[in-house]
Amino acid sequence: MRIARFLTDKLRKLAAPEWAFSPTLIAVRNGFLLCLPIVAAGVLAVLVNNFPLPWYQEEMLRLFGDNWKSFGGLVWQGTLGIITIPTLVGTSYHMAMQQNHARPLHSTNPVIAGMVAVASLFIIIPMHDDYGLMYWLGTPGLFVAILVAITSTRLFLWLVGSERLRIRIYSEGLDTAIPQAFFCLLPGILTLLVFALLYGIFFRLTGSTLHQFVHDCILYPFGIIQNNINTGAVYLFITHLLWFFGIHGPNILDPLTHGMFDTALQANQAAKAAGQPLPHLITKQVLDVFVSMGGSGSSLCLIIALLMGSKNNNSRRLAKISLVPGMFNINEILLFGLPIILNPIFLIPFICVPLALMATSALAIHFGLVPYPMQVVEWTTPPLLGGFATTSGSPAGIALQLFNLAIGTLIYLPFVRISDDVKTERQKQAMGKLMDVACNNQVGPGGKKCLDRDDEVGVLARVLAYDLQTALTRHHEDAVGLFLEYQPQVDSRPGRVMGMEALVRWRHPGYGNIPAPILIAVAEDGDFIDDLGLWVLRTACKERARWHEAGIAADLKTSVNASVRQLMNDRLPEVIQSCLEEYRLEPRMIGVEVTESVAIDPEAPHTRILQRIHDMGLIISIDDFGAGHSSLIYLKYFPVDILKIDQALSKDVVHNKVCSEVITTIVELCRSLDIKIVVEYTENREQIEVLQDLGCYIFQGYFYSKPLKGEQALAYIQHMNESPG
Ligand code: C2E
Ligand code: MG
Ligand code: MG
């Protein structure tokens, strides 16, 4: 057990090193993710053109004529055919946004950064060499495109940061395009000039374009190694290592492998016809049919491992989406979506699985367990069918594919778990950061707290906002995952519950329980706080009506929290009124808690609304008093019935003299203004006793009770209020 844990730890350190989460690599991976719609369209086009059923191909030919593949060809040309451009723009965009986030005052338009990167690529891309422009715009040029995106965007952003290079032109009105364009003018020009200059020097020194240079470097090892089995292993090793860097190995090596592996198959076929022993063990058929099941990295094994072993909903969803193209050995969606590229967690199995499967296939063929695969099959032929067809109808071909699928899945499984752990940890971190942002009163330049951020926090916030809004609009009455808990406010003198605070809760299907302040922040940012508030109010009223029917006295109020944004809504008093009427409640059965920082401005519009709500007979509490904006003087301007002392004062009251003195002052003032005091965060008896000595008698906190679900809350009230003393 201990050894297993030790090995997992070591593997984890190896597979998920710190550098893998450097901002640049994250930007590259996110850049790939942005390309998913384009990649998916390309994959569809490939599938339409290469669907491996002879009658399908014949029917298409009959229906649409000789050129029937040109439709898929056009789609392919506009998607996977030029995949370098979206990848480059995506990477550059994310790098610019990362910098904008780190230095909001020096924000750069990320689209301009992307355009500069595209221009940089076109400075160096070979237009008229043997391969031609379109070749380099496709997957063979991906690696150089990533290099260009990183270097040109780094340079551009660095230059943008320089005070001296900024040209400030202020537009009339509020049009941001003019200042942004001029802001980037000199940095843009300089980036492109430096790029052209460096490239000129490179060309002079090497006599080759950068694209050709990288290409030659990749092909170099194949010139040295000739032996067939070694070449097979080296081929697999290199193609998969290249994929890690975003280079489509099979495409680049195609001219070479075509010759090598095709000759091997032909030699085998000739030897068989002549009744001689077959000279080659590894042919392209072996690699295509028994090794690359699902595409490079034997990705069908990864898909199965994700479906079987991943607890991460997103990964499972991606695996499901990738399954259909994966059955036809097309794996771009998985490679771009997981992503595999520049993701060290999957590097080890991505290389090892094909090598292991080549070994098992070679052994099985060598020992005669499986016939030599002699029949050529279309590369899109699904596994099992492929094994059957290439061995001229031998069940052993199917058995070997099944065996290989099982081996590959087993190798992938521990890495899927590691990937899950890393994702969960990062999710937790992002949730923690989002919580900090939500609890902080600061808003960004766009007037939002979290929804417009371009880091992981922003992504998480947007997912939550979307799901929360969907939950509220689709199932308003019974919003999925949303519910209320009620925390008792107990008057300690008779030991009686005098109120309940309704606290909103959300169990998200993917992320689990989401803290209330995050819900409020995303609902405010997303402009649907009124919908959430209405849901809370209606649910609390419905529950209060149920308690009323159960015989709970009318002087017990349920209070709901209201954020400042809700109090800005002129219609709030009418909404409350209609809720009271719908559930036949007296106004004193419901209260509103307003955070103190909100309430201190006597001139603000929400004060009038608060006054109207108070005039209707609802009980108004000032929440979190003492949390920072304590202004006793304003109490007299507000319609306040209850003042809730925050943890900032109550937590340390036993040991901190300042806290107890401040509380004494508040108690005296409230007595003279006829305002009740509730002390929050009372967790132990010592605290309660000290607070009672200071003149506080109503408490809310874990000492009496944690927040409770509706039924439990009713049972608590009945127990406390019906038992004497
Ligand atoms: P709040 O109104 O001050 O609510 C009290 C918070 O303190 C609750 O956290 C409660 O669970 C927690 N708490 C109570 N007693 C104790 C204790 O003894 N120890 C500790 N450690 N914690 C205690 P929760 O539910 O996470 O709510 C946090 C804040 O979110 C609330 O602070 C309130 O400002 C806001 N909120 C909650 N529900 C709603 C809602 O429906 N609408 C609005 N606008 N805001 C809400
Ligand atoms: Mg409250
Ligand atoms: Mg509070």
Side-chain angles (χ1 to χ4, degrees):
M1 195 63 193
R2 206 179 283 167
I3 298 175
R5 203 173 307 142
F6 174 79
L7 285 178
T8 317
D9 273 3
K10 281 268 168 256
L11 202 61
R12 216 189 129 160
K13 284 210 180 94
L14 192 71
E18 274 303 305
W19 58 261
F21 303 105
S22 74
T24 307
L25 285 192
I26 289 178
V28 175
R29 287 201 293 264
N30 288 345
F32 276 111
L33 279 172
L34 283 190
C35 300
L36 255 192
I38 292 172
V39 169
V43 163
L44 212 63
V46 173
L47 201 56
V48 166
N49 278 10
N50 298 287
F51 200 72
L53 277 182
W55 71 258
Y56 164 83
Q57 298 277 339
E58 282 158 20
E59 252 336 88
M60 294 298 270
L61 188 66
R62 194 179 63 76
L63 284 173
F64 303 107
D66 281 346
N67 290 334
W68 75 269
K69 286 196 176 180
S70 56
F71 172 74
L74 285 176
V75 176
W76 182 88
Q77 181 181 299
T79 53
L80 291 176
I82 51 117
I83 196 64
T84 47
I85 305 282
T87 316
L88 175 103
V89 174
T91 303
S92 186
Y93 172 88
H94 276 287
M95 287 174 71
M97 289 307 282
Q98 280 172 352
Q99 171 133 331
N100 286 354
H101 207 74
R103 299 192 316 185
L105 285 181
H106 292 154
S107 300
T108 318
N109 186 322
V111 177
I112 301 184
M115 289 193 293
V116 170
V118 172
S120 305
L121 179 70
F122 274 84
I123 287 178
I124 69 160
I125 204 161
M127 303 260 181
H128 308 292
D129 66 354
D130 293 346
Y131 296 101
L133 175 67
M134 284 315 283
Y135 178 79
W136 296 119
L137 285 177
T139 37
L142 211 48
F143 178 64
V144 179
I146 297 170
L147 278 186
V148 171
I150 295 173
T151 44
S152 87
T153 310
R154 273 269 151 275
L155 180 62
F156 174 70
L157 293 175
W158 180 68
L159 292 170
V160 166
S162 158
E163 277 292 340
R164 284 203 211 138
L165 294 178
R166 280 188 211 139
I167 300 178
R168 287 183 197 281
I169 301 248
Y170 298 101
S171 57
E172 291 142 26
L174 290 172
D175 191 357
T176 52
I178 298 172
Q180 278 181 347
F182 279 93
F183 200 67
C184 297
L185 189 67
L186 285 180
I189 296 175
L190 280 178
T191 306
L192 297 178
L193 289 184
V194 170
F195 231 75
L197 194 71
L198 286 180
Y199 187 62
I201 296 171
F202 177 85
F203 192 74
R204 259 296 161 88
L205 290 179
T206 62
S208 158
T209 62
L210 185 60
H211 286 78
Q212 190 63 50
F213 184 78
V214 170
H215 200 257
D216 293 345
C217 289
I218 295 165
L219 290 179
Y220 183 71
F222 287 86
I224 304 171
I225 301 157
Q226 290 301 332
N227 175 294
N228 184 246
I229 180 81
N230 280 347
T231 315
V234 172
Y235 169 80
L236 286 180
F237 179 79
I238 293 185
T239 44
H240 289 87
L241 186 66
L242 293 179
W243 249 129
F244 175 72
F245 292 102
I247 303 169
H248 195 307
N251 263 11
I252 288 199
L253 298 178
D254 193 51
L256 215 148
T257 50
H258 227 79
M260 229 157 46
F261 295 120
D262 284 358
T263 329
L265 177 66
Q266 283 154 14
N268 276 358
Q269 282 168 337
K272 191 179 180 200
Q276 288 166 354
L278 308 190
H280 297 289
L281 202 51
I282 301 300
T283 59
K284 192 159 188 311
Q285 288 310 300
V286 175
L287 296 185
D288 276 358
V289 176
F290 294 113
V291 177
S292 298
M293 285 177 291
S296 310
S298 316
S299 3
L300 200 54
C301 304
L302 173 55
I303 294 176
I304 299 172
L306 285 170
L307 289 174
M308 281 172 54
S310 178
K311 293 200 180 74
N312 183 294
N313 282 348
N314 294 334
S315 301
R316 291 171 61 83
R317 214 167 291 154
L318 182 76
K320 279 182 199 155
I321 296 170
S322 311
L323 187 60
V324 173
M327 299 289 281
F328 298 94
N329 306 316
I330 300 171
N331 64 352
E332 271 83 355
I333 294 187
L334 195 66
L335 295 178
F336 280 70
L338 201 52
I340 297 285
I341 300 160
L342 290 175
N343 185 349
I345 296 176
F346 289 108
L347 174 65
I348 301 171
F350 194 69
I351 292 178
C352 290
V353 169
L355 287 175
L357 303 195
M358 190 187 85
T360 53
S361 311
L363 285 174
I365 296 168
H366 177 72
F367 288 112
L369 299 174
V370 174
Y372 267 81
M374 302 297 276
Q375 299 302 322
V376 177
V377 291
E378 191 67 38
W379 67 274
T380 42
T381 309
L384 308 191
L385 274 182
F388 186 72
T390 195
T391 52
S392 313
S394 164
I398 300 179
L400 177 58
Q401 280 194 314
L402 281 173
F403 180 74
N404 278 355
L405 279 176
I407 297 284
T409 305
L410 282 178
I411 300 177
Y412 268 119
L413 267 174
F415 295 91
V416 164
R417 299 258 157 81
I418 292 175
S419 167
D420 269 8
D421 288 350
V422 171
K423 276 185 185 160
T424 311
E425 223 161 80
R426 291 177 70 78
Q427 234 167 51
K428 258 193 209 155
Q429 279 174 8
M431 196 65 87
K433 276 193 216 155
L434 180 55
M435 184 67 178
D436 289 345
V437 173
C439 290
N440 194 326
N441 273 333
Q442 279 170 4
V443 290
K448 299 203 184 286
K449 272 185 174 177
C450 50
L451 224 53
D452 56 357
R453 288 170 64 119
D454 200 66
D455 53 2
E456 281 177 316
V457 173
V459 173
L460 183 60
R462 285 191 288 279
V463 171
L464 294 178
Y466 177 81
D467 290 350
L468 179 58
Q469 194 177 22
T470 311
L472 279 169
T473 45
R474 286 219 189 126
H475 315 272
H476 201 87
E477 268 299 301
D478 185 22
V480 181
L482 269 179
F483 60 99
L484 291 184
E485 281 190 336
Y486 302 87
Q487 191 175 29
Q489 297 166 340
V490 180
D491 188 335
S492 61
R493 284 164 299 189
R496 227 182 109 82
V497 182
M498 47 79 69
M500 283 285 191
E501 175 174 11
L503 295 159
V504 69
R505 301 285 178 254
W506 189 30
R507 199 171 298 120
H508 185 274
Y511 296 114
N513 291 337
I514 309 295
I518 293 184
L519 291 193
I520 309 307
V522 297
E524 285 189 350
D525 272 5
D527 281 333
F528 57 92
I529 185 69
D530 288 339
D531 294 336
L532 180 64
L534 178 61
W535 183 88
V536 170
L537 180 68
R538 286 176 63 90
T539 313
C541 287
K542 200 169 169 184
E543 190 66 37
R544 184 64 190 85
R546 204 172 293 151
W547 296 348
H548 184 64
E549 275 168 29
I552 301 300
D555 62 353
L556 185 141
K557 62 124 194 19
T558 295
S559 52
V560 293
N561 290 280
S563 77
V564 66
R565 287 281 298 277
Q566 290 169 265
L567 289 173
M568 296 285 194
N569 182 356
D570 270 343
R571 289 196 51 246
L572 188 62
E574 284 97 81
V575 169
I576 295 177
Q577 186 60 43
S578 73
C579 265
L580 293 179
E581 281 163 16
E582 183 178 346
Y583 293 103
R584 301 207 189 105
L585 297 174
E586 292 175 36
R588 63 184 173 135
M589 292 177 175
I590 297 294
V592 175
E593 291 196 6
V594 191
T595 305
E596 178 231 345
S597 64
V598 169
I600 55 172
D601 182 1
E603 301 300 325
H606 59 258
T607 312
R608 272 181 287 113
I609 295 176
L610 210 55
Q611 185 67 55
R612 277 169 62 197
I613 296 173
H614 186 254
D615 293 345
M616 283 161 57
L618 277 88
I619 295 169
I620 307 289
S621 307
I622 297 291
D623 206 350
D624 301 344
F625 197 87
H629 306 81
S630 313
S631 326
L632 287 168
I633 187 72
Y634 289 121
L635 282 183
K636 66 176 180 182
Y637 297 116
F638 289 99
V640 181
D641 301 296
I642 295 175
L643 190 139
K644 294 184 73 180
I645 293 183
D646 187 64
Q647 59 168 322
L649 292 173
S650 67
K651 263 197 163 169
D652 280 344
V653 69
V654 177
H655 305 292
N656 190 322
K657 226 172 153 20
V658 177
C659 289
S660 54
E661 275 167 15
V662 174
I663 292 179
T664 309
T665 316
I666 297 173
V667 169
E668 275 167 22
L669 187 76
C670 287
R671 203 170 282 151
S672 66
L673 294 171
D674 197 21
I675 293 171
K676 279 187 187 150
I677 290 180
V678 173
V679 189
E680 289 190 287
Y681 290 82
T682 41
E683 293 183 343
N684 53 60
R685 182 171 293 283
E686 214 183 351
Q687 230 179 332
I688 302 265
E689 282 168 0
V690 172
L691 286 162
Q692 281 176 331
D693 287 344
L694 297 177
C696 303
Y697 300 101
I698 308 172
F699 302 107
Q700 179 179 347
Y702 293 175
F703 176 76
Y704 278 105
S705 172
K706 289 200 164 182
L708 304 166
K709 301 245 170 69
E711 278 301 311
Q712 293 169 311
L714 174 61
Y716 186 89
I717 302 169
Q718 285 169 333
H719 167 75
M720 292 290 284
N721 292 9
E722 281 163 21
S723 57

